[in-house]
């Protein structure tokens, strides 16, 4: 069983590391995006801003078929507007978006960035390849993760005896094994949950036939695209004020509304549709599909759609699992717990990959030099682990270094990410392995620890989201420095007896 | 009272519970208090440990309900266990005092009421 664990973990380990790292950051995807738009720092969410948004749209986008507003909330303080102007092309490209200051209703000139969404998308769709192919690759990696978890539990026989054991001062291999075991065992329920729910979320791609004819149970699928332009009717009454409708929605749901859709604004048949900000409880996760539809002219409630209605048990469980995987709760404390568990998972994958090398290093040293396969793994480890960390830190810096008004700058940020990753891979090939580790991790730590300097205005404005981001960056830098010091240490040559014991411990944890 | 209020007390209960379970094990008892635990003590520690973990579970479920509560509990256990493992390898002798200090902060969430 040990070989299964090692090979299932190794072969897709670098991909799993990337999925875990970017996925963990994606728990704070809105906060990352907020950090990457310094123009919005210090902005305070304001409840009464929805009507300012409608007023702006009425003045600037009168011919649009639909107005969509995402209301300011705890995680994103700006008031987001979207519409499709007259004669705009179909598809995503035709949608216009703007962010308003919720307090004044003035447009905010926030820089164009993919922000946390890039990391979020990357963790299950990768980048620059057909969506289904990428999902297949990630799905296979997720299954390998499952195999690695199950075989790991079976391999690790002293799982409960060793649960609290971590001996960082012991010889290299033992400390890495302890770190791998501790992060794996302590967060085991999380690993099982996140892997399983990830698999469920990908199930539609992996087994499309299983879903044939079963879609659409939970009401109409959420439309993300405003339909084409409609002619306005000058005789139509102006829409009612939103504030009373929002209050009514909060009373009905027990949760605030998160988005407003005005359909056919400026026509007699105009309606206003509200959706809740977060599903308040998993059991009613169908919440994600809850909608309240009002007549725009009179403010009368036309329809109260409960997303859970008409959803089969399977559909409901499916929704719950999806909500769980994405940590779509309103509670920040829960989000932090998931984030910390995600960090444990990232460390688990990384230590497992390093362990594969450390375990074989002594063997190869005895047998006269490393094999070519060993050398490849060793260097892929640097490129896959340290290189990705470097690229991520560089992504944040690219956000500040690329001119704010450059055309297509969101794509340039992503290009910077991949260019840095490629450079790191090249560096890992050219430098001695140990030097490559320390240099890449050292540079990454340096980049991260200086990030607060790039967001000084946000910190001075007392923006909690920015300060939280910077604190996590500093803590990560400290962790990476620690890892760099450890990886720089020459592999100790264990005494024969001790070596047998550790070898046995790794092979099957027999005493 | 928001559900998040339960997080910190649940974390402390999980930490203390894990610590009690560790004290029921020879190696960790020796690290923390010195010497091996006697059988009676060992049983008391085991029982206390599991009870405290149950208390953490109850806190999470009371705070969030079953659905999110169990997911939250996993996070609480990972966090408390991870922190304890680090503390155990770096300052085992100071663990009892650290734990007392932690318990003394159990009311902190009330500040945010």
């Amino acid at each position: 069983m040990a070989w299964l664990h090692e090979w299932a973990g190794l072969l897709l380990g670098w991909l799993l590391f990337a999925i875990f790292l970017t996925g963990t950051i994606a728990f704070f995807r809105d906060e990352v995006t907020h950090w990457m738009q310094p123009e919005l720092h210090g902005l305070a969410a304001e409840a009464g801003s929805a009507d300012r948004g409608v007023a702006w749209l009425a003045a600037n986008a009168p011919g649009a078929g639909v107005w969509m507003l995402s209301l300011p909330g705890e995680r994103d303080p700006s008031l987001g507007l979207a519409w499709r102007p007259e004669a705009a092309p179909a598809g995503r490209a035709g949608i216009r978006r703007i962010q308003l200051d919720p307090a004044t209703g003035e447009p905010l000139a926030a820089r164009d960035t993919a922000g946390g969404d890039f990391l979020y998308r990357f963790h299950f769709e990768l980048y620059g390849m057909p969506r289904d192919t990428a999902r297949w690759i990630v799905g296979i990696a997720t299954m390998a993760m499952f195999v690695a978890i199950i075989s790991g539990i079976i391999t690790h026989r002293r799982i409960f005896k060793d649960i609290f054991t971590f001996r960082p001062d012991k010889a290299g291999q033992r400390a890495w094994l302890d770190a791998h075991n501790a992060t794996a065992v302590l967060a085991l329920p999380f690993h099982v949950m996140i892997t399983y729910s990830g698999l469920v979320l990908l199930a539609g791609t992996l087994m499309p036939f299983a879903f044939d004819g079963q879609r659409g149970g939970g009401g109409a699928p959420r439309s993300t695209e405003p339909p084409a332009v409609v002619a306005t009717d000058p005789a139509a009454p102006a829409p009612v004020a939103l504030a009373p409708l929002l209050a009514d929605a909060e009373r009905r749901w027990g949760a605030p509304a998160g988005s407003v859709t005005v359909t056919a604004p400026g026509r007699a048949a105009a309606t206003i549709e509200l959706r809740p900000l977060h599903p308040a409880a998993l059991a009613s996760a169908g919440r994600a599909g809850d909608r309240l539809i009002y007549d725009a002219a009179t403010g009368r409630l036309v329809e109260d759609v409960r997303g859970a209605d008409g959803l089969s048990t399977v559909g409901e469980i499916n929704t719950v699992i999806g909500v769980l995987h994405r940590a779509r709760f309103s509670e920040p404390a829960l989000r932090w717990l998931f984030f910390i568990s995600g960090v444990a998972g990232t460390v688990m994958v990384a230590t497992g990959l390093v362990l594969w090398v450390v375990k074989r290093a002594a063997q190869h040293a005895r047998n006269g030099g490393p094999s070519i396969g060993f050398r490849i793994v060793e260097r892929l480890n640097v490129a896959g682990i340290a290189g990705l960390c470097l690229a991520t830190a560089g992504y944040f810096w690219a956000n500040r270094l690329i001119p704010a008004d450059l055309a297509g700058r969101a794509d340039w940020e992503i290009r910077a990410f991949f260019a840095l990753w490629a450079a790191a891979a090249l560096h890992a090939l050219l430098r001695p392995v140990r030097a490559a580790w320390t240099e890449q991790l050292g540079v990454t730590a340096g980049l991260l620890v200086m990030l607060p300097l790039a967001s000084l205005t946000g910190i001075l404005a007392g923006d909690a989201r920015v300060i939280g981001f910077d604190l996590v960056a500093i803590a990560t830098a400290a962790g990476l420095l620690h890892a760099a010091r450890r990886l720089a240490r020459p592999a100790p040559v264990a005494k024969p007896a001790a070596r047998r014991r550790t070898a046995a411990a790794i092979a099957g944890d027999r005493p | 009272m928001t559900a998040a209020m339960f997080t910190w007390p649940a974390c402390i209960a999980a930490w203390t519970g894990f610590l009690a379970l560790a004290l029921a094990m020879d190696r960790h008892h020796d690290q923390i208090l010195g010497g091996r635990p006697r059988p009676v003590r060992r049983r008391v520690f085991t029982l206390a440990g599991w009870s405290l973990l149950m208390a953490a579970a109850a806190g999470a479920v009371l705070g969030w309900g079953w659905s999110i509560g169990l997911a939250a509990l996993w996070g609480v256990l990972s966090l408390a266990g991870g922190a304890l493992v680090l503390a155990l390898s770096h300052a085992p002798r100071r663990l009892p005092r650290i734990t007392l200090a932690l318990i003394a902060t159990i009311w902190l969430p009330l500040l945010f009421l």
Side-chain angles (χ1 to χ4, degrees):
Chain A
M1 208 45 108
W3 66 267
L4 180 62
H5 181 73
E6 285 180 8
W7 289 99
L10 178 77
L11 291 177
L12 290 150
W14 300 291
L15 182 56
L16 283 172
F17 179 79
I19 295 171
F20 255 92
L21 181 78
T22 50
T24 300
I25 300 174
F27 280 136
F28 285 113
R29 144 194 190 199
D30 288 357
E31 286 77 3
V32 169
T33 308
H34 180 70
W35 190 91
M36 291 175 84
Q37 296 194 311
E39 294 82 4
L40 308 187
H41 291 179
L43 211 61
E46 197 178 293
S49 60
D51 284 309
R52 287 190 194 104
V54 168
W56 193 92
L57 284 166
N60 295 281
V66 160
W67 294 337
M68 297 198 295
L69 297 87
S70 66
L71 302 179
E74 209 174 285
R75 302 185 62 198
D76 179 3
S78 70
L79 170 65
L81 309 179
W83 74 98
R84 189 192 300 281
E86 285 180 74
R92 252 168 204 278
I95 301 177
R96 293 278 299 279
R97 292 172 197 283
I98 193 170
Q99 286 165 301
L100 299 189
D101 185 328
T104 62
E106 293 295 314
L108 292 159
R111 60 187 63 194
D112 174 34
T113 179
D117 290 351
F118 163 64
L119 299 170
Y120 167 72
R121 294 241 155 246
F122 182 78
H123 111 274
F124 66 100
E125 287 181 353
L126 307 176
Y127 188 78
M129 65 168 80
R131 186 181 276 196
D132 277 355
T133 315
R135 287 189 180 206
W136 265 97
I137 294 172
V138 173
I140 290 167
T142 314
M143 281 188 235
M145 178 78 193
F146 227 20
V147 171
I149 289 177
I150 305 296
S151 53
I153 296 170
I154 297 169
T155 306
H156 190 27
R157 293 196 186 164
R158 284 151 52 91
I159 194 162
F160 290 112
K161 279 211 132 149
D162 282 342
I163 188 164
F164 299 120
T165 307
F166 177 45
R167 288 155 291 182
D169 304 326
K170 276 278 173 79
Q173 183 170 304
R174 190 70 238 185
W176 288 109
L177 181 63
D178 281 349
H180 183 63
N181 287 348
T183 45
V185 175
L186 285 167
L188 187 60
F190 172 82
H191 298 320
V192 174
M193 181 278 286
I194 209 76
T195 309
Y196 179 73
S197 55
L199 210 49
V200 170
L201 284 173
L202 290 167
T205 306
L206 302 180
M207 296 182 292
F209 43 87
F211 284 85
D212 282 350
Q214 289 177 31
R215 284 265 166 89
R222 183 170 184 158
S223 116
T224 50
E225 297 219 341
V229 175
V230 292
T232 45
D233 173 1
V240 293
L242 281 176
L245 304 188
L246 293 171
D248 179 54
E250 183 157 5
R251 197 175 45 75
R252 285 173 193 273
W253 287 327
S259 68
V260 181
T261 308
V262 185
T263 313
R267 287 197 301 170
T271 58
I272 296 174
E273 181 180 311
L274 306 185
R275 287 172 183 270
L277 182 62
H278 299 287
L282 280 189
S284 61
R287 258 276 152 69
D290 281 2
R291 292 175 291 153
L292 291 171
I293 301 166
Y294 298 89
D295 182 336
T298 61
R300 188 177 53 86
L301 182 67
V302 181
E303 208 182 342
D304 181 350
V305 184
R306 295 284 152 148
D309 293 349
L311 209 61
S312 65
T313 311
V314 174
E316 205 164 325
I317 290 171
N318 201 26
T319 319
V320 168
I321 289 172
V323 172
L324 207 54
H325 186 92
R326 301 189 198 101
R328 283 212 174 152
F329 324 114
S330 41
E331 299 282 356
L334 268 180
R335 192 171 290 281
W336 278 105
L337 287 174
F338 269 44
F339 177 77
I340 288 164
S341 302
V343 171
T346 312
V347 171
M348 169 184 73
V349 177
T351 50
L353 285 168
V354 171
L355 193 56
W356 194 96
V357 166
V358 173
K359 180 184 162 185
R360 278 161 185 79
Q363 243 169 313
H364 283 300
R366 278 199 307 284
N367 300 344
S371 66
I372 181 78
F374 175 83
R375 283 171 176 227
I376 293 173
V377 171
E378 212 178 22
R379 277 152 205 284
L380 278 175
N381 265 356
V382 182
I385 300 171
L388 178 61
C389 293
L390 179 65
T392 310
Y395 178 60
F396 298 136
W397 272 107
N399 174 259
R400 296 302 151 91
L401 297 179
I402 294 172
D405 50 1
L406 186 75
R409 72 182 300 294
D411 290 331
W412 282 107
E413 285 175 12
I414 293 171
R415 274 176 215 140
F417 173 88
F418 285 109
L420 270 172
W421 201 358
L426 195 65
H427 175 259
L429 279 180
L430 298 178
R431 295 284 291 155
V433 170
R434 211 167 290 149
W437 271 119
T438 26
E439 287 162 9
Q440 293 195 18
L441 290 177
V443 169
T444 311
L447 287 177
L448 287 175
V449 91
M450 288 190 304
L451 278 179
L453 293 178
S455 51
L456 265 184
T457 47
I459 295 173
L460 293 178
D463 193 320
R465 289 162 292 248
V466 174
I467 295 171
F469 180 103
D470 287 332
L471 287 178
V472 170
I474 291 171
T476 311
L480 292 181
L481 274 185
H482 185 73
R485 279 177 50 194
R486 232 169 210 282
L487 285 156
R489 226 182 268 176
V493 182
K495 293 190 195 85
R499 196 161 56 211
R500 264 202 307 281
R501 261 206 313 279
T502 31
I506 286 186
D509 274 315
R510 289 172 204 89
Chain B
M1 180 179 259
T2 63
M5 310 279 298
F6 286 92
T7 315
W8 186 233
C11 284
I12 293 175
W15 162 290
T16 318
F18 276 139
L19 177 64
L21 287 181
L23 282 169
M25 297 160 124
D26 284 344
R27 175 173 24 181
H28 301 305
H29 190 281
D30 188 44
Q31 270 179 298
I32 301 164
L33 298 176
R36 284 160 156 258
R38 276 176 294 137
V40 183
R41 245 196 184 192
R42 192 192 302 270
R43 224 167 299 152
V44 171
F45 277 135
T46 311
L47 191 69
W50 283 109
S51 313
L52 282 161
L53 290 185
M54 291 297 190
V61 170
L62 276 178
W64 282 291
W66 284 102
S67 51
I68 297 187
L70 287 182
L73 177 67
W74 299 335
V76 164
L77 293 181
S78 307
L79 176 64
L84 182 71
V85 165
L86 283 180
L88 196 55
S89 56
H90 290 291
R93 290 284 171 175
R94 264 176 284 164
L95 265 180
R97 256 183 296 162
I98 295 173
T99 306
L100 286 179
L102 273 178
I103 293 173
T105 65
I106 202 159
W107 53 273
L108 274 182
L110 292 177
L111 288 183
F112 297 96
L113 261 189

